[in-house]
Amino acid sequence: FARSVAQTGFPGTDLSRFEQTGFFAQAKWEPLPRLSVTLGLRYDVLGSPIAPPTNTGFSTAFGSLYPGIRNDGTIDGTSRVAPRLSFNYSLDSARMTQARGGIGVFLGRSPWVWISNSYGNAGFGRYTLTARPTNLTSYLATDFDPANPMGVGPTPAPGSTQTINFIEPGLKLPTNLRGNLAFDRKLPGLSATLSVEYVYTKQIEAMFYDNLNLRVLNGDAQNRPTAASYGADGRLRFATNTAGTAAGASNAPLVTGYGNVLRLRNVNAGESHYVAIVLDRPFKNGWAYSLAYTRGRATEAQPAGSSTAGSNWGFNIVFNQGQVEVTRSDYEIRDRVQASFSKEFVYFNRLKSIVSLVYEGRTGQPFSYVYGGASSFAADLNKDGNGSNDVVAVPTGATDPRFDFSGMTSAQQAAYFAFLDQSGLSKYAGGYAPRNAFTTSWQNRLDLRFTQEVKTVGPVVLELFADFLNFGAWLSDDLFNYVETIATSTSNSNQNRALGSATYTATGLIRPTVTLNTDGTINFPATSIILPNNSDARWRIQAGVRLKF
């Protein structure tokens, strides 16, 4: 396989290449008449023969703080051995009860858009102007060099900052260890099968973004926190530039001339446990049904629900920025009930009509309570440059020594503490409410499906079908208002509600503020209101024709 080579002659070009070669072998073994075992082995080798353009100025500027740091790391040459084992064992000679299961390592799909960020954000040709006007005339007169149109690269131009995205050399693709164990029992009296299954997933290699250019408030010479670096709630704080809290303020960079320096690396964090109980009756005598209940939990270090390095890092809800905080996953469904019922009708002894109802009830979407302030750096509690990603610290009462309630009137304090009790936030009194500690309300959905065979010619069947999606919402939008989300962008995951804003006092106390509605309740911004998802909560009908062979 070709090794990584530096880009030359086109240092600012976002040009990358990815290769994946996999080998797989499998063998089936039956050591006993009722026992079968399947062994598998997969081996993948990754290639990335083009490296991001090397930014020597970046390596020099950050080398004393992060020895050996480079921005041209690739996944080239990384490999993964993924063994698998599964079995199926009939516990009785009549084969009424069976045990089945397996365990294995599984390599995920390539998230190449995350990796390719390091090619387009190597510090060449793209700058954020901070000191000069950003109009085209000024740029052409003061910044643009016709002899070097892509920019100078190694050092930031005066009055500008470089954004650097890079991956750790040898980064591995997302990899999971997954295992399951299940028991199936035939129930002749019901013409059905009862199954109980447990599924475990462990993230061996998960993706994680952090920012290496944040200056810790009152940190030491190596940018390590001191006792004065933390707020009264134990949250790590970051330094601001000389503008402080005035207009134009921002978080202070560790190395001037550089903006966000975002590193993508692997962490071994996150897992899920799920147990499912299923009663399934296939079609017999013209009808079929299925009933299932699943319960579980899932955790992760970072949802990574976006395509760019900046949004994956910035939208992540945190208590201590830069730390690997394992909390409830954005994608967890704690409880789920599924049921289906189908009835078959036969006309002229051969043409079939099938009517099916499918129901799903499930725990709502996980979300977090945060301090708002996206429009004001002064309201960014920890000063990491992200205004709405700081989880809420929860007071024990108005005399909690970590808090300063001087920014609230008595009416606002009363509403604030009433909401802490009503929302369940008071469960975390004396600490903080972690990411995704809450979920939206229980969600219900009911679908209706109709299929009709209209003609058969030999083995070919012409079938008409119609799906009444969200049929339940048509019946009752109060009972079947299926998907409820917080009115923020769902494309980046990380749903949150902004419970007012907060700042630190000079002594590190949290000073929260809220505004009230006319009825005396807390006013939440429009982006923090829980509403039915406009598309998924609608009912709609789709129809079609298909040939069955």
Side-chain angles (χ1 to χ4, degrees), residues 211-226:
N211 190 344
L212 303 187
N213 201 29
L214 290 178
R215 182 179 294 278
V216 173
L217 179 67
N218 298 318
D220 64 16
Q222 284 73 44
N223 201 42
R224 293 174 300 197
T226 64

Side-chain angles (χ1 to χ4, degrees), residues 87 99-102 179-183 196-200 274:
F87 77 94
R100 54 183 171 85
N180 77 306
L181 179 63
F183 294 91
V196 179
E197 183 170 9
Y198 167 72
V199 180
Y200 170 74
Y274 279 91

